[in-house]
Amino acid sequence: MADLRINLAGIQSPNPFWLASAPPTNSGYQVQRAFEAGWGGAVWKTLGDPILNVSSRFAAVSFNGQRVAGFNNIELITDRPLDINLKEIYETKKRFPNHAIIASLMVEPKQEKWHEIVKRVEDVGVDGLELNFGCPHGMAERGMGSASGQVPALVERQTYWAKEVAKTPVIVKLTPNITDITATAEAACNGGADAISMINTINSLMGVDLDSWNTIPHVAGKGAHGGYCGPAVKPIALNMVAECARHPHINVPISGIGGISNWKDAVEFMLMGATGVQICTAAMHHGFRIVEDMIDGLSNYLDSKGIAAVSEIIGKSVPKYSDWGNLDLNYNIVAKINTDVCINCNKCHIACEDTSHQCIDRLTDANGMSFLKVREEDCVGCNLCSIVCPVDGAIDMVEAVREMPPMTWNERQAALSGAAILKADVTK
Amino acid sequence: MSDYQQFLDERDKIDFFIQKGYRINGVKEHLNGATVEFINPKGNVFETLVIGTANARKYFTSLLLKQNHT
């Protein structure tokens, strides 16, 4: 069995699966049950001045029968006194000394506030700290959470303040509600962060009730934006992790968060540079015991690949992720319809005819039976037909015979800049 | 005419000059694609083509890259 242990900036855990700071890590009772189930670590629900919550806090998007495709919450950080949380952290750490407990922290952007909470939390034996610069709702209106996390100078300064007194590794949790997350990631590194984690939740309004015209959720007829997470956000999160992982000035470990629902998602994040992952929505949907499948799946995957330790896969796909300008313009794939599998539903034909490049013909064979055929010379390899096809194996996207050597946009532009630029504006 | 047929047509025109020993001398990109200027081996005859299709624009720049490496 492969070694699943990870070491994220000095924080060790028996496997890469951590519960993210959120309702599942609100109390010692929950975190201890999670550790019993097999979770390798937990980021305690954010500590700070205890808040007041509203009732009606969560909402979810169901999509074509998939429940909780996306999830939204307007719950704030912990509403429990710090001393109670610290007592439960101490007890949990004592009972599970080999599991990682990280304290998520959020205070006003003042040096003395950060010093105070860091010292008090570290006194009870946490393995690390996670600075919450990400929560987009409620606390942001008070200058904390994503309001801090959207300003690189504030990220750097507050990270620095935490690091001034911290004895354990400091992870900075970043908000995705920003144009370029590498700007705040770099600011965190400049402030001395030992690691970064991403993504926190995305600003969202889940819906409007068509009868009452209330927002979903609503609180006595009024709503406010929440934080969006769950499987729907995974591609956004994965991109942000990858962008940070390949950035030349961001050289700290990454804890990946965002829509991770199973071991396969976790592997994808780790291949794209995450040292470990944090999970919330999937646990809220299915319970703590989903970690059993995650551990089994990851272990079997590594064994099947002959990989001895999960740490060996970290970042292995990062070199494959680049800018569009470095992609090969002369690489071509085309669709091939396997008529023995195709059920002639025509979805590919309609999709291609109406919204792509009109290269799938509906033909009739000698027996009068209709069939679909791709005109490969007109196929641009967009993948749409295979995406909308309801039958696995009916459409394959295959590499076309290469007719020209590789050429990227950047190489093309360099070649053109070397050629003489025509003076005459001959366009016809 | 399909995009592919237009591409073949434009590629044939490009190949016509290349096979006669012309080299790509200059390119101007514009809203209708690109105007490509060819120069004959003696350097005294210039010919131009307006290339519109995406594949033909990839094609002539691939030839330009090859030309730059020979």
Side-chain angles (χ1 to χ4, degrees):
Chain A
M1 181 177 166
D3 183 355
L4 300 188
R5 291 175 297 173
I6 63 161
N7 181 333
L8 187 139
I11 304 171
Q12 298 186 37
S13 87
N15 63 56
F17 302 112
W18 293 2
L19 282 172
S21 173
T25 59
N26 187 50
S27 66
Y29 169 76
Q30 290 168 284
V31 173
Q32 289 179 34
R33 286 189 62 240
F35 287 165
E36 285 168 359
W39 292 88
V43 185
W44 209 272
K45 187 170 170 72
T46 303
L47 308 174
D49 290 338
I51 54 76
L52 301 173
N53 268 314
V54 293
S55 179
S56 190
R57 305 175 190 180
F58 304 149
V61 167
S62 296
F63 189 77
N64 279 355
Q66 160 75 57
R67 296 189 70 81
V68 198
F71 191 86
N72 164 286
N73 87 89
I74 57 171
E75 184 172 296
L76 305 184
I77 66 173
T78 186
D79 59 2
R80 304 191 313 149
L82 182 63
D83 283 342
I84 291 177
N85 275 305
L86 295 182
K87 178 172 176 285
E88 292 178 11
I89 290 172
Y90 174 79
E91 291 167 353
T92 305
K93 188 64 197 173
K94 192 173 177 185
R95 194 173 156 214
F96 295 91
N98 297 322
H99 289 64
I101 298 181
I102 293 89
S104 172
L105 307 176
M106 184 194 289
V107 291
E108 292 172 60
K110 294 176 180 171
Q111 186 184 34
E112 64 273 19
K113 290 278 189 183
W114 282 107
H115 284 186
E116 179 193 5
I117 198 161
V118 166
K119 288 174 183 170
R120 292 191 64 186
V121 166
E122 286 194 331
D123 279 347
V124 296
V126 295
D127 298 292
L129 309 169
E130 185 180 78
L131 314 188
N132 182 343
F133 297 147
C135 276
H137 50 280
M139 307 309 286
E141 296 170 23
R142 306 168 202 177
M144 292 176 270
S146 66
S148 282
Q150 289 165 335
V151 183
L154 278 176
V155 170
E156 181 176 342
R157 192 176 312 152
Q158 292 181 95
T159 304
Y160 182 81
W161 289 336
K163 283 292 292 179
E164 282 181 322
V165 292
K167 295 171 184 162
T168 61
V170 171
I171 306 167
V172 172
K173 187 170 181 178
L174 299 171
T175 176
N177 299 305
I178 187 168
T179 305
D180 179 6
I181 200 165
T182 64
T184 45
E186 194 173 350
C189 293
N190 292 339
D194 299 294
I196 50 178
S197 58
M198 68 199 71
I199 59 174
N200 207 304
T201 53
I202 301 171
N203 288 341
S204 59
L205 169 58
M206 291 304 265
V208 179
D209 186 281
L210 296 185
D211 293 319
S212 66
W213 301 356
N214 279 329
T215 62
I216 303 171
H218 73 90
V219 179
K222 279 193 177 174
H225 81 266
Y228 194 53
C229 53
V233 312
K234 186 194 126 191
I236 298 168
L238 191 57
N239 171 61
M240 290 185 170
V241 166
E243 290 294 347
C244 288
R246 74 186 184 96
H247 193 285
H249 299 143
I250 300 170
N251 296 305
V252 296
I254 299 170
S255 181
I257 313 166
I260 298 162
S261 304
N262 52 49
W263 69 267
K264 292 179 182 175
D265 295 337
V267 169
E268 289 181 52
F269 273 76
M270 295 186 76
L271 288 170
M272 270 302 169
T275 296
V277 296
Q278 298 184 34
I279 293 160
C280 172
T281 307
M284 293 180 77
H285 190 183
H286 301 295
F288 289 148
R289 291 191 61 181
I290 58 164
V291 76
E292 295 170 10
D293 285 344
M294 291 178 177
I295 291 169
D296 283 349
L298 176 60
S299 184
N300 292 338
Y301 170 77
L302 295 172
D303 289 346
S304 72
K305 293 271 184 194
I307 298 170
V310 70
S311 57
E312 293 176 29
I313 70 170
I314 297 168
K316 287 291 187 261
S317 292
V318 175
K320 294 172 178 282
Y321 201 54
S322 185
D323 294 325
W324 192 94
N326 293 324
L327 305 182
D328 181 4
L329 293 166
N330 285 334
Y331 172 80
N332 290 303
I333 58 171
V334 294
K336 280 208 183 287
I337 298 174
N338 301 312
T339 51
D340 54 331
V341 179
C342 173
I343 59 172
N344 285 309
C345 70
N346 289 325
K347 283 194 76 72
C348 61
H349 170 75
I350 293 166
C352 187
E353 198 70 11
D354 288 357
T355 64
S356 194
H357 287 77
Q358 301 80 50
C359 67
I360 299 179
D361 293 328
R362 277 199 303 189
L363 304 172
T364 306
D365 67 15
N367 299 318
M369 301 293 288
S370 64
F371 67 100
L372 297 157
K373 191 171 192 310
V374 177
R375 288 194 320 281
E376 292 182 13
E377 65 273 20
D378 288 322
C379 177
V380 301
C382 72
N383 294 330
L384 181 62
C385 56
S386 66
I387 290 168
V388 302
C389 178
V391 181
D392 288 342
I395 300 178
D396 292 326
M397 301 302 301
V398 298
E399 282 190 28
V401 175
R402 182 179 281 281
E403 295 180 348
M404 298 298 287
M407 176 186 68
T408 69
W409 171 260
N410 291 336
E411 290 167 341
R412 176 186 189 273
Q413 294 312 100
L416 288 181
S417 67
I421 304 300
L422 295 182
K423 295 279 195 311
D425 188 8
V426 185
T427 59
K428 292 183 180 173
Chain B
M1 193 190 297
S2 73
D3 262 9
Y4 183 67
Q5 286 302 321
Q6 288 179 49
F7 159 62
L8 293 180
D9 184 52
E10 291 182 339
R11 189 181 69 179
D12 285 348
K13 288 176 181 170
I14 293 167
D15 284 346
F16 175 78
F17 289 121
I18 297 296
Q19 284 162 11
K20 288 172 69 173
Y22 281 69
R23 292 169 62 84
I24 295 171
N25 188 57
V27 176
K28 180 176 178 61
E29 295 191 287
H30 45 71
L31 291 173
N32 286 322
T35 299
V36 185
E37 184 183 73
F38 298 86
I39 186 169
N40 74 338
K42 290 183 178 174
N44 58 355
V45 178
F46 295 87
E47 301 283 357
T48 60
L49 290 174
V50 175
I51 303 299
T53 65
N55 280 339
R57 285 185 287 116
K58 288 181 186 176
Y59 183 69
F60 81 71
T61 40
S62 294
L63 294 179
L64 179 60
L65 272 172
K66 187 178 170 190
Q67 175 182 296
N68 289 347
H69 288 103
T70 55

